[in-house]
Amino acid sequence: MNPGFTNHFLLPLLRGVLQIAILLLLAPLLPGIVNRVKAWVAGRRGPPLLQLYYDLGRLWNKGIVLSTAASPGHLVGPAIAWVAILGSAMLLPLGPGDALWSFKGDALLFLYLLALARFCTASAALETGSAFEGMGAAREVSFAVLSESALITAILALAVQTGSLSLTGMLAPVPNPSAGLLAAGLFTVLLAENCRVPFDDPNTHLELTMIHEVMVLDHSGPPLAVILHGAALKLLVFALLLAQAVLPLNHLSLLPATGCLLAAMLVITLLVGFAESLLARFAFRRVPLLLTTAFLFCLFALLTAWKGVS
Amino acid sequence: MSPGCLLSLALAAMVAGTCCAPRWTRLWLGCTVAATLLTLGAAISVLAGGPWEWHGAFPIGGELPHLRADGLSAFFLVLLSVIGLAGTVYSSEYWSPKKHPGSAYPGRVWWNLLLLFMGLVLLCSNGLHFLIGWELFTLCAYFLITRERHLPAVRRAGWLYLAASHASALCLFAFFAAIAARTGSWDLGPLRDHLELAPLFWLALIGFGLKAGLFPLHIWLPSAHANAPTHVSALLSGVAIKMGIYGLMRFSGWIPTPADAGWVVATLGVASAVLGVAFALGQHDLKRLLAYHSVENIGIILIGLGFAMMASRAGQPGWGRLAMAGALLHVWNHGLFKALLFLGAGSVLHATGTRRMSELGGLWRAMPWTAASFALGAVAISGLPPLNGFVSEWLVYLGLFGAVDGLGPGSAAAVPAAILLAVTGAMALACFVKVVGVVFLGTPRTLRAEKAVECGWFMRSPMLLLGGACILIGLAPALFWPALQSAIAAWEPGWAMDVAPAPLLSLGIWNVGFALAAALAATLLLRRVRRNGIARAGTWDCGFAAPTARMQYTAGSFAGIITEWFAWILQPSRHADKITHPFPSRAAFREHTPETVLEKVVEPSAGMVMALSSAMRRLQHGRLQFYILYLVFGLIALALLAFWGGAP
């Protein structure tokens, strides 16, 4: 076979398929770890680590109950949202491995793909005409205004720090003092965007104060499986973003970098689990305050980075 | 064929169409469509082949006509002809003589004249003729806005539009007259070496800004766009306000600008973007909401233009070019998706007779074509990939990030601008999830919404055309780079770059791949669901047994969280009945978001002027002896002035 073909086409393709497969397979593990931590702290036996995999398999084979008010968009929405989240994951580098698709300005594409996923889930929720889901969708899109401002500020901070406009370049930070601020800000955004305590409680759907979880009330069967997998993937995406925005992994060689990244993912997941076990959900009116705090963390990270460069 | 040939054919077709308009529907439609297509051809040949110029031999109003189509005017001419084409076809069914016997035929005449004069403004290269064309197209638009003038709201909107337009025209008269006085001729062209003209940019900013509807000069825009017939709203929002943008771009390129102009334009842009979308969230009237989104999108265009002006001053073509390309592409994009959304809103109005979102709901079932096109437009206007809105916003972002990266001039402004642009995007998304959800999804809230029927093909096909254009620009943005280059070269000659930047190509490939993957995933999921079996049942709603359509979340409650954050400027008025007894009687809740700038600033100050004037009127009472007394006083005052004033 032509070596050029192998080097320029076959190998990247293989690597891409492998990377996507790792992302897809690894994602449902994270909620499993969070649940184990919660069970351990509470002294319960808790669900098995691989519970979400069993759930996904079961849901994929089930029939669905569809609201009479819903249009085909109710089913198409979760599919597009899932592709959008997967797309945003493909733009992220994986420690030593570069991103699957990288160009100048892809950080904004990353941000807007997550927004597209939000548009799809929120409008799929409104399909049923249920007041509960309307509330959830309204809160989702409203609080996202704050978390999106925090995210773009974090991206600006990284851009100033590294002088790059692509995620591959941005997520190779040099060790610097703004990393701590950025970590605090991004971790808060991670909790908010992934329906975690103290913003939301993934354990219950039947509360008037839910945000994300209430939007999936009327989904069942394969679409629900896609939504659950997408949610797990989104947690993975945010954890990857947080870890690589803070840790200078690009200075390490292949194996230590992979090890560090995996350890960082584990630490983040454990932190999410502990936050969930030890904190109570915030009163609703305090959610914007906490998100504004996250924005301020990112803003100060940006100012520190700015001061460091100029 | 040369652009001149095509344009004269287009003129002939347009005149023929205008003559046919009062009688023969098909001839009118054919001629007007032909005229728009010929104009499109001429504009494309200018964009591809270079500028075109024509000097007339016979003076009009004492000046020889001088037409010129360069990249910038051709760029706007493309937008005019595409939206004009869509609107013409749409109006033939929407505003048909059968439904509007008295007003359809004159409406067609005004429509054709509006298209004609807007085209002339884009081509005129003589200050006097520019002003004449500007005034004529403003007046044509007035007669189109007031088609339903038996309604008081329409008359009020028309009057406000007329007043604001003439305030704008006044500034422009001063602007062009000052240029003519300085240069000694009404002829326009690149005048960058006349540095003394720079302060005139502020006059142009007010004059063109009023037309473009930037905050806080947008006061006329929401009511005019909401009350005009919908195809007119689409043209006004898609093209007419862009004439203001055209003016700003044209003259920021032709005359020198003051040092702070870029900052001011960008700041106004940011204010328009954020506040425009905040006001849109507070609206309950579908067309009014869309009108406020025009303010938002004008803001995004101005952010791009403002940073391009800063880059031009600082000599930074790298990111300035991207910001300008973003601004220009957003001119097209906003024209396309806003016209699409207005036409969709028009179909809803046509089918249900109401613009109030609280009376709609569940329309997707009766109007699948309209619902799908509207949803496409909603995704596009929210700036989401893989559609066109994302491409232009992304280019603006690249300009902003470039400014930040250089840490040079403008970087301190680019950081807040980028953050607020992201906030705008997220809020626009919230607003359009609300619109799509409340109007098209769920169950019908009233009998009107239940009885709706889909519109005919003359109304459907323009929506499909515009939706197709939105998809095309989203999936193949690099295809349109030469047009952008042509326009940028007309604005700042040194900035042209023949090959599309590599990131734009990558984004295009990504968008195509993403669209394919999304379509594939959706198909697979639908097939899986079908194989597993679908059982239909009522919405579960946490087990509530007897849900009614009135229990659905409304537009007001959906937007409530964000409008509460912006209550300081939205100043919403709310009336709720307090529940006092254990067994409450009927209760009602009303919410209204006023046009704050108009009702809290402009109207009170205008009222003050009126009060002062009527106080002054007491002097004029018709009694002769007092008038003689005034004369005596006046003479004494003059005498004193002459005596002590030290007159020579």
Side-chain angles (χ1 to χ4, degrees), chain A residues 172-252:
Chain A
V174 279
N176 67 79
S178 65
L181 290 166
L182 208 56
L186 283 177
F187 187 70
T188 317
V189 174
L190 178 146
L191 292 178
E193 282 286 302
N194 290 287
C195 51
R196 294 287 152 188
V197 177
F199 295 94
D200 204 344
D201 190 345
N203 282 333
T204 166
H205 302 298
L206 286 180
E207 288 269 348
L208 281 172
T209 51
M210 291 291 108
I211 306 172
H212 308 245
E213 288 295 321
V214 80
M215 291 196 295
V216 304
L217 274 180
D218 262 275
H219 284 284
S220 53
L224 184 59
V226 168
I227 289 171
L228 290 179
H229 189 268
L233 197 57
K234 194 172 170 189
L235 182 60
L236 181 67
V237 165
F238 272 87
L240 279 172
L241 178 73
L242 169 55
Q244 299 185 83
V246 176
L247 300 175
L249 294 176
N250 53 322
H251 299 299
L252 304 175

Side-chain angles (χ1 to χ4, degrees), chain A residues 59-72 75-76 78-80 82-88 90-91 101-113 115-116 118-119 122-124 126-139 141-146 148-149 152-153 155-156 159-160 162-165 170 205-206 214 217-218 222-223 226 284 288 295 299 302 306 309-310, chain B residues 318 322 364-365 375 378-379 382-386 390 393-394 397-398 400-402 404-405 407 411-416 418-434 436-438 441-443 502-507 509-511 514 517-519 521-526 528-529 531-542 548-549 551-553 557-562 565:
Chain A
L59 286 170
W60 187 249
N61 288 314
K62 274 193 159 187
I64 65 164
V65 181
L66 187 60
S67 161
T68 41
S71 83
L75 305 175
V76 171
I80 298 179
W82 182 81
V83 176
I85 295 170
L86 179 63
S88 64
M90 285 166 66
L91 294 173
W101 191 258
S102 171
F103 55 90
K104 186 179 158 195
D106 63 359
L108 297 155
L109 181 61
F110 173 82
L111 208 61
Y112 275 77
L113 280 171
L116 176 66
R118 190 184 334 130
F119 188 98
S123 53
L126 290 177
E127 293 266 2
T128 57
S130 145
F132 274 105
E133 287 172 62
M135 272 178 220
R139 289 166 188 165
V141 296
S142 306
F143 294 144
V145 173
L146 295 173
E148 193 150 305
S149 61
I152 185 113
T153 313
I155 286 176
L156 275 166
V160 168
T162 60
S164 167
L165 284 186
M170 271 180 194
H205 302 298
L206 286 180
V214 80
L217 274 180
D218 262 275
V226 168
F284 206 63
F295 165 68
L299 189 64
L302 170 62
W306 189 294
V309 172
S310 60
Chain B
L322 292 171
W364 72 268
R365 202 180 289 277
V379 174
S382 308
L384 297 176
F390 176 70
E393 281 190 31
W394 177 79
Y397 271 120
L398 281 192
L400 296 180
F401 273 64
V404 173
D405 199 35
L407 290 181
S411 58
V415 167
I419 295 173
L420 288 171
L421 191 54
V423 167
T424 307
M427 278 164 57
L429 187 149
C431 194
F432 275 94
V433 169
K434 164 185 116 169
V436 171
V438 172
L441 306 179
T443 47
L504 195 67
L505 288 169
S506 303
L507 181 69
I509 298 172
W510 169 273
N511 278 350
F514 179 81
T523 325
L524 285 179
L525 185 66
L526 282 179
R528 184 77 204 173
V529 166
R531 236 187 48 204
N532 291 4
I534 303 174
R536 300 298 292 229
T539 297
W540 180 54
D541 220 1
C542 296
T548 73
M551 286 168 59
Q552 294 176 95
Y553 229 46
S557 29
F558 194 91
I561 300 173
I562 300 183
W565 297 341

Side-chain angles (χ1 to χ4, degrees), chain B residues 174-361:
Chain B
F175 173 67
F176 284 109
I179 291 185
R182 276 285 166 187
T183 61
S185 128
W186 285 95
D187 226 27
L188 297 172
L191 297 165
R192 282 220 168 170
D193 41 347
H194 286 67
L195 285 180
E196 76 280 6
L197 292 178
L200 289 180
F201 179 78
W202 302 123
L203 265 180
L205 184 62
I206 298 174
F208 290 122
L210 257 167
K211 197 74 193 169
L214 59 83
F215 197 92
L217 304 177
H218 69 287
I219 45 168
W220 61 274
L221 193 149
S223 59
H225 289 198
N227 287 302
T230 310
H231 59 290
V232 178
S233 316
L235 190 68
L236 289 181
S237 220
V239 189
I241 59 172
K242 304 297 178 0
M243 303 304 270
I245 296 293
Y246 169 73
L248 280 179
M249 286 185 174
R250 175 92 286 170
F251 293 101
S252 61
W254 271 355
I255 65 168
T257 50
D260 306 328
W263 288 73
V264 174
V265 169
T267 311
L268 286 172
V270 170
S272 307
V274 176
L275 296 177
V277 70
F279 272 99
L281 272 161
Q283 304 305 315
H284 303 284
D285 174 327
L286 182 53
K287 284 176 72 182
R288 227 178 137 78
L289 179 146
L290 292 177
Y292 274 111
H293 273 284
S294 296
V295 178
E296 176 221 335
N297 283 285
I298 287 295
I300 295 174
I301 295 169
L302 287 182
I303 294 175
L305 177 63
F307 276 88
M309 286 164 72
M310 283 182 218
S312 159
R313 181 158 276 276
Q316 299 269 357
W319 51 269
R321 182 192 293 129
L322 292 171
M324 190 65 188
L328 280 165
L329 190 59
H330 207 72
V331 166
W332 270 12
N333 287 345
H334 175 245
L336 292 171
F337 49 61
K338 183 51 67 65
L340 169 61
L341 290 167
F342 261 121
L343 297 187
S347 300
V348 170
L349 179 59
H350 192 71
T352 62
T354 182
R355 307 193 306 238
R356 293 160 58 116
M357 289 190 275
S358 53
E359 294 178 8
L360 299 167

Side-chain angles (χ1 to χ4, degrees), chain B residues 462-490:
Chain B
M463 289 194 268
L464 296 179
L465 169 80
L466 295 171
C470 287
I471 295 176
L472 184 66
I473 296 183
L475 296 189
L479 212 61
F480 299 90
W481 185 257
L484 288 171
Q485 273 325 289
S486 205
I488 292 176

Side-chain angles (χ1 to χ4, degrees), chain B residues 36 73 76-77 82 89 110 175 212 272 289 397 402 409 435 520 542 644:
Chain B
T36 53
S73 38
F76 281 80
L77 215 50
V82 171
V89 176
W110 290 120
F175 173 67
S272 307
L289 179 146
Y397 271 120
V435 177
L520 183 71
C542 296
W644 282 304

